[in-house]
Amino acid sequence: MGNVDSMSVRDCSEPALVEVQLMCKRFGSLGFCLVIAAGPTGLSAATAKARADSPFTEHQESHWAFQPVTTPAVPDAPRGNAIDAFVAERLGERGIAPGPRADKVTLIRRATFDLHGLPPTPEEVRAFLADESPSAFARAVDRLLSSPRYGERWARHWLDLARYAESEGFKSDETRPNAWRYRDYVIDSLNADKPYDRFVLEQIAGDELWPGSAAARIGTGFNRHYADESNAAILVQRRQEILLDITDTVGAVFLGLTYGCAKCHDHKFDPILQADYYRLQAFFTNVATDDEIHLMSPEQREERRRRQAEWELATRDIRAQMDALLDEKRAEAYQTQVNRRSPETQEAFGKPESERTMYERLLFQQHMWQMRYHNDAKLANALVDEAKERFRALEAQLAEFDHLKPEELPVGIGIREMGAEAPKTHILSLANYAAPLNEVEPGFLTLLDPEPATYSPALGGRSSGRRTALAKWLANPVNPLPARVMVNRLWHYHFGQGIVRTPSDFGLMGERPTHPQLLDWLASEFMRHGWSLKHLHRLIMLSETYRQTSSFREDAAEADPFNRLLWRFPPQRLEGEVIRDSMLSVAGRLNNQVGGPSVYPALPEGAAEPRGGWDVPEQQHEQDRRSVYVFVRRNSRYPMLESFDMPDTHESCARRATTTTAPQALALLNSEHTLGWARGLARRVLEEAGADRNRQIQAGFQLAYSRAPDAWEKDTALTFLDTQSKIIAGRAAAGEALYVPDTFPEAMSLEEAAAVVDFCHMLLNSNEFVYMN
């Protein structure tokens, strides 16, 4: 029925009339219904009353996504695996024949981009072409899946969903120093093929289920990646906005539902009550930040405690004198912070700790770093005269004992709880924290499980156990949504479109599955094989559907113009991260170091340094790490990645936009970075080919495209190199600076070497380089 202001119903049957009346009752805020006439009676009064009393319509209850996952029988097919059988059946309904298999160069290039986010090396291409066995492609897929490059490539997809960033967002956009450990956790989990159900459990309740595992606790960082207005004056509002963000994200990522609509009212389309929204939120109402997840072994922690105690004893008198000088300033700063808060917050902060409610303790804990105003250096600057001189002298004395201090404690960030007791959760009128309505207990979707969730305190009473109950429900094979949603996400990332083309909206307003039986078969296969993502990758990539050519066929396009039924492999433009990494790779500059703190590659000329800083390392090799390791500042995405549609990390992103804009062309044509990568590629070409132009063209095509040029391409490139050398000679005579490789053969002139750079620059700017076919 959609967004309508009025609806006219003529000659309805009674069931249809009752359905319209229910829609008007449920969706009355959209407009009004005008019922002109009803048709013949077809529904008993008792049935009509039962339907009218139900919170959901029959249409909502029977929606495909809420039905149990089944294991459909695999249709007969002339070729391929079960995937091909389901796809061929749908193609046959439209009279479309499946496409032929792509050539081997296309396949190895497609698979390498898909699993590694990089082009294959010439050695990898040669090895694959030399392997003539029927299992050659299967072995190539297994090799790609076993590499650490796989986790780096596919972590980027999950980080988009998790709205991963390393800063707070909003005005100040402060850095979260250890957020990168969650990124490494995702990479490690994918490389280890951690079962997806375990992956879900860790991210929702890893701290409760595996308190001794640092990785599981860091996994809870999924719900720590909310944007946060750290300087908010009304802490209750700030807290509620965080809970709204967590609720929306969990609903979208794991259930594939747009929960957000239900924060203000019952969902207008999906069977999600407003109470369901706050029942889900109640699982998280007790969470607090945990930004000090210790990563040391027990032995390391003991040694650190020993050294810390030694340092504290040696410096006790010095630190006491420094504290005495700052105590008054600290008190003033603390009171200034308190005075800026709302009256309710001031009242809570004015209470002794023992008298604060659980909710007040949560607010206090979340904001304590700011209330402490712990930046002693800033406070010391406010001292004057003798006090300031005395503090500086004591500071110098303290520094003499630095050799005793233990190394900085390695920590990760996530979430935890402050006790078994949780604040009450209320339905909020229009999501307004100041307008609570009925109280609710933690629970799931009423349609699937209407009873309140059962849970018990965890960690000896240090945690409520609520999130464990939610995590187990999300990882339960009986739940019809999580397996379907994740299988569809993998399909989406492989083919550029999901079986359901709205990956985070399986509701009534989302698109219907193009291959519903295939979706269920894959979901059941996923769970039967231990929730293994790598098993799904193999199934998909070894199908004939995946190995099809991407060539256009006019007859097929007439029957299926948008290729929904997959009569060819969909060509896809590479993401900005893959384009950057590929250019670094073919230039011979890619730093393949795995994991660790994020890096800050140099910003383009003229770009302003973001608020929060952008600390570019001196060593170029450090800047040339993979894009998954580039620092993600919420308010200032790295310019090249932003121009190629990197998502806004303030919210979960299920599918990236693919735009074609002028800034993209300018980034590849005019950027000093791209020119530098072209110089690197030219250096590799000349190292391999020397001054021989024919070999230069051959080497350039092989490095950039994994293939040899055809006759026309070769002649065109030869003409370009000859003409461009002459043009560059004229520019050089006019005093223009030339872009040349670091080294080039003595037999070549400066102008000829610069022409090779321009040739390589052209290769990097071509559609063939930035598209996966």
Side-chain angles (χ1 to χ4, degrees):
M1 293 198 170
N3 296 318
V4 294
D5 293 326
S6 63
M7 184 164 44
S8 177
V9 181
R10 301 177 185 274
D11 299 325
C12 293
S13 64
E14 186 169 344
L17 176 59
V18 172
E19 186 74 15
V20 169
Q21 290 171 332
L22 286 170
M23 293 287 280
C24 293
K25 175 184 175 182
R26 301 289 297 154
F27 308 155
S29 63
L30 289 180
F32 61 91
C33 296
L34 176 61
V35 180
I36 296 178
T41 300
L43 191 67
S44 70
T47 303
K49 184 178 187 305
R51 289 282 303 282
D53 290 341
S54 170
F56 309 118
T57 67
E58 183 180 12
H59 180 54
Q60 290 174 316
E61 292 174 351
S62 62
H63 183 60
W64 67 269
F66 304 116
Q67 309 314 307
V69 174
T70 62
T71 307
V74 179
D76 294 331
R79 65 172 192 169
N81 60 19
I83 290 173
D84 301 308
F86 287 109
V87 171
E89 184 178 55
R90 292 285 286 118
L91 287 172
E93 295 170 2
R94 298 279 187 92
I96 306 173
R101 185 180 286 188
D103 64 84
K104 291 188 75 172
V105 170
T106 298
L107 286 178
I108 190 62
R109 192 169 175 86
R110 179 185 299 170
T112 310
F113 272 124
D114 210 354
L115 292 181
H116 285 187
L118 296 168
T121 65
E123 295 75 21
E124 290 168 342
V125 175
R126 284 194 290 269
F128 180 63
L129 294 178
D131 187 346
E132 297 180 355
S133 68
S135 58
F137 189 62
R139 282 201 292 271
V141 169
D142 285 340
R143 173 182 60 80
L144 293 167
L145 286 171
S146 65
S147 166
R149 306 284 87 77
Y150 159 72
E152 293 173 329
R153 164 61 169 150
W154 279 76
R156 182 66 267 165
H157 297 317
W158 187 262
L159 296 176
D160 281 1
L161 291 167
R163 76 270 193 237
Y164 167 80
E166 300 175 71
S167 64
E168 301 283 4
F170 291 95
K171 181 180 178 181
S172 297
D173 206 22
E174 302 100 330
T175 296
R176 292 177 181 169
N178 296 295
W180 60 269
R181 295 194 188 274
Y182 176 81
R183 175 249 291 151
D184 282 3
Y185 157 84
V186 175
I187 292 172
D188 293 343
S189 296
L190 293 174
N191 279 330
D193 198 20
K194 182 177 291 181
Y196 180 67
D197 56 346
R198 168 74 185 235
F199 190 56
V200 172
L201 291 168
E202 289 179 349
Q203 292 184 86
I204 300 297
D207 58 318
E208 292 184 340
L209 290 166
W210 296 281
S213 167
R217 294 174 65 196
I218 288 172
T220 65
F222 176 86
N223 280 315
R224 177 69 179 89
H225 289 304
Y226 48 78
D228 188 14
E229 177 55 276
S230 57
N231 199 33
I234 305 175
L235 299 189
V236 179
Q237 180 184 27
R238 174 189 175 198
R239 171 71 177 169
Q240 185 56 44
E241 287 174 350
I242 289 171
L243 290 174
L244 294 174
D245 176 278
I246 291 174
T247 308
D248 292 350
T249 304
V250 168
V253 172
F254 298 107
L255 298 173
L257 294 174
T258 56
Y259 255 79
C261 298
K263 62 168 62 78
C264 297
H265 48 68
D266 291 349
H267 203 291
K268 295 296 184 185
F269 304 103
D270 296 339
I272 304 174
L273 304 176
Q274 188 181 16
D276 288 344
Y277 184 92
Y278 291 96
R279 277 156 52 98
L280 178 63
Q281 188 173 109
F283 287 108
F284 299 100
T285 193
N286 201 33
V287 300
T289 57
D290 188 357
D291 290 352
E292 294 186 358
I293 298 174
H294 295 180
L295 305 178
M296 286 182 165
S297 67
E299 296 77 16
Q300 289 173 321
R301 286 200 299 270
E302 181 57 36
E303 172 61 17
R304 190 180 189 283
R305 278 194 292 268
R306 185 193 66 76
R307 293 194 62 184
Q308 182 70 18
E310 183 179 353
W311 177 81
E312 288 179 357
L313 180 63
T315 61
R316 182 175 55 190
D317 292 342
I318 298 172
R319 290 184 293 108
Q321 294 177 64
M322 294 173 73
D323 286 341
L325 290 169
L326 293 181
D327 280 345
E328 185 177 347
K329 295 294 182 183
R330 285 189 182 126
E332 291 174 359
Y334 181 89
Q335 194 57 49
T336 297
Q337 290 293 318
V338 171
N339 293 342
R340 295 178 59 240
R341 310 297 150 193
S342 65
E344 297 82 3
T345 303
Q346 292 185 37
E347 180 182 353
F349 276 59
K351 293 179 182 179
E353 184 175 354
S354 59
E355 296 180 13
R356 293 187 187 121
T357 66
M358 174 56 73
Y359 195 66
E360 289 170 341
R361 286 166 56 198
L362 283 167
L363 295 178
F364 192 79
Q365 181 270 348
Q366 186 179 28
H367 205 60
M368 195 57 203
W369 71 269
Q370 192 172 23
M371 299 306 296
R372 283 182 182 143
Y373 212 83
H374 59 266
N375 190 335
D376 284 357
K378 188 172 182 179
L379 293 177
N381 286 334
L383 296 173
V384 295
D385 302 333
E386 294 181 4
K388 191 169 189 176
E389 291 180 11
R390 177 60 180 156
F391 186 88
R392 296 303 182 207
L394 290 167
E395 204 172 35
Q397 291 180 37
L398 185 66
E400 295 175 4
F401 294 89
D402 282 352
H403 65 284
L404 297 178
K405 293 182 72 172
E407 294 180 1
E408 188 173 342
L409 184 69
V411 296
I413 70 172
I415 60 173
R416 64 183 177 92
E417 297 186 10
M418 297 183 65
E421 177 193 356
K424 294 179 180 180
T425 301
H426 293 267
I427 298 173
L428 302 180
S429 176
L430 300 178
N432 184 352
Y433 72 94
L437 302 174
N438 297 337
E439 183 182 348
V440 294
E441 291 295 323
F444 313 114
L445 278 174
T446 296
L447 178 71
L448 300 178
D449 192 346
E451 298 301 317
T454 58
Y455 57 92
S456 57
L459 304 178
R462 299 194 307 278
S463 199
S464 69
R466 293 182 173 204
R467 286 175 291 115
T468 293
L470 174 62
K472 290 181 176 179
W473 182 71
L474 292 174
N476 190 331
V478 175
N479 190 328
L481 290 167
R484 277 192 183 118
V485 168
M486 192 55 194
V487 163
N488 187 66
R489 294 196 193 282
L490 255 71
W491 191 272
H492 163 77
Y493 293 128
H494 278 299
F495 289 99
Q497 57 184 10
I499 296 173
V500 178
R501 295 183 68 249
T502 48
S504 285
D505 186 1
F506 275 34
L508 277 76
M509 298 304 289
E511 293 204 20
R512 302 297 182 268
T514 54
H515 302 77
Q517 290 186 310
L518 173 57
L519 181 62
D520 265 24
W521 186 87
L522 286 170
S524 58
E525 179 79 1
F526 183 35
M527 293 184 283
R528 274 200 310 273
H529 284 79
W531 301 78
S532 167
L533 294 175
K534 288 189 177 182
H535 175 71
L536 279 183
H537 286 302
R538 291 187 186 95
L539 268 178
I540 292 170
M541 297 180 70
L542 296 183
S543 70
E544 292 298 325
T545 302
Y546 181 85
R547 289 194 266 185
Q548 288 181 111
T549 178
S550 59
S551 299
F552 182 81
R553 289 154 51 203
E554 189 171 345
D555 60 331
E558 287 182 4
D560 179 22
F562 297 106
N563 192 32
R564 300 282 195 261
L565 303 182
L566 293 173
W567 46 265
R568 68 168 177 156
F569 183 84
Q572 301 166 52
R573 199 208 66 205
L574 302 172
E575 303 103 302
E577 292 90 337
V578 179
I579 294 172
R580 176 181 177 272
D581 293 351
S582 298
M583 290 185 176
L584 282 166
S585 178
V586 300
R589 285 176 42 180
L590 184 63
N591 178 350
N592 278 318
Q593 177 187 339
V594 177
S598 296
V599 297
Y600 302 83
L603 296 169
E605 185 178 354
E609 181 173 308
R611 181 165 187 171
W614 195 263
D615 188 14
V616 178
E618 292 183 7
Q619 297 296 322
Q620 183 64 52
H621 190 57
E622 286 299 310
Q623 298 183 43
D624 290 343
R625 296 194 62 199
R626 290 202 66 170
S627 298
V628 73
Y629 300 117
V630 171
F631 188 91
V632 182
R633 190 166 291 288
R634 256 199 176 94
N635 291 353
S636 305
R637 284 162 281 176
Y638 188 63
M640 178 181 177
L641 305 185
E642 182 175 21
S643 67
F644 281 96
D645 306 309
M646 181 181 180
D648 182 347
T649 55
H650 285 83
E651 58 186 8
S652 176
C653 175
R655 56 179 182 180
R656 290 191 176 193
T658 303
T659 64
T660 303
T661 65
Q664 293 167 359
L666 294 172
L668 296 186
L669 280 171
N670 297 337
S671 167
E672 290 287 335
H673 295 150
T674 309
L675 287 166
W677 299 327
R679 291 176 65 199
L681 176 56
R683 175 184 52 77
R684 293 186 70 190
V685 164
L686 293 176
E687 285 175 354
E688 182 173 329
D692 187 325
R693 282 188 171 174
N694 287 298
R695 291 180 60 205
Q696 290 167 7
I697 295 166
Q698 182 81 17
F701 270 70
Q702 197 65 51
L703 287 166
Y705 301 154
S706 307
R707 65 173 179 86
D710 61 29
W712 181 87
E713 289 169 331
K714 185 175 180 180
D715 288 344
T716 302
L718 284 169
T719 302
F720 172 83
L721 288 172
D722 183 59
T723 304
Q724 193 70 4
S725 297
K726 295 174 183 176
I727 292 173
I728 291 172
R731 291 176 180 170
E736 289 188 25
L738 302 183
Y739 286 93
V740 295
D742 296 332
T743 60
F744 55 90
E746 292 182 3
M748 294 182 68
S749 68
L750 200 68
E751 292 79 13
E752 289 172 328
V756 175
V757 173
D758 288 347
F759 166 66
C760 291
H761 194 199
M762 177 274 297
L763 294 176
L764 298 183
N765 273 268
S766 64
N767 277 348
E768 185 167 353
F769 191 83
V770 300
Y771 271 81
M772 180 172 72
N773 292 317

